[in-house]
Amino acid sequence: MRMPTSVPAASLLAASGLATMIVAAAPAEAATVEFPQVPSVYHDALICGGNIRSWADTGPQWPGRAIISIQALPVAGFDPGEYSFAPQCITVATVAWRNMDTGAAGEYRVPVLAGFYGSEHYALFQDTGPGHIIVTVFTDMPNIPAHSAFDVPG
């Protein structure tokens, strides 16, 4: 049996329409900027220390906003408790930011509880406004602060 000539044309049009829909539905480009890690001492143990990592996620789907994330990497230390070499330690990590184009400023501050596994991932939207954002990352204990920058689309 011979197929009508309109079927291949319809199939081709359907396929090209699907391709157009896939391209049109592709997400806008997002950017992730990881800041330098912050070595820090922690509270609640005789000796406890480790690195804090932090980063910003931006994209045109969040104009004028950035998601700031903070996470502790595994800590090392000693605590005289039952699990001496697996202490649970805490520090308050802060990402202070300033928009160099508008002058807006703010900070994301969060208590970070960490152990030999690190910590959970803490994240929060920041209304930075569009522009070039500079950041300083530090903790409430002795640390080596980190400085970085990223851009937020309008």
Side-chain angles (χ1 to χ4, degrees):
M1 172 178 218
R2 190 175 146 182
M3 297 187 83
T5 58
S6 62
V7 172
S11 297
L12 183 58
L13 287 174
S16 67
L18 180 60
T20 302
M21 287 176 32
I22 291 171
V23 170
E29 284 192 45
T32 299
V33 175
E34 180 128 5
F35 310 140
Q37 293 180 9
V38 174
S40 181
V41 174
Y42 287 69
H43 299 274
D44 296 341
L46 292 178
I47 302 170
C48 190
N51 287 340
I52 301 285
R53 64 182 286 250
S54 55
W55 63 96
D57 290 303
T58 62
Q61 67 273 34
W62 314 304
R65 301 179 86 195
I67 301 172
I68 302 292
S69 297
I70 298 172
Q71 184 177 35
L73 297 176
V75 297
F78 177 78
D79 190 9
E82 183 178 353
Y83 302 103
S84 297
F85 292 101
Q88 290 288 307
C89 312
I90 192 166
T91 190
V92 177
T94 302
V95 177
W97 57 266
R98 175 172 297 281
N99 186 320
M100 299 306 290
D101 297 337
T102 67
E107 63 182 33
Y108 177 40
R109 182 177 301 222
V110 63
V112 178
L113 177 64
F116 67 89
Y117 51 82
S119 77
E120 66 181 76
H121 169 193
Y122 303 90
L124 188 65
F125 267 112
Q126 298 290 299
D127 292 320
T128 61
H132 186 69
I133 313 299
I134 60 169
V135 297
T136 302
V137 185
F138 56 93
T139 71
D140 68 332
M141 292 294 286
N143 68 94
I144 301 172
H147 303 280
S148 193
F150 63 97
D151 293 311
V152 174

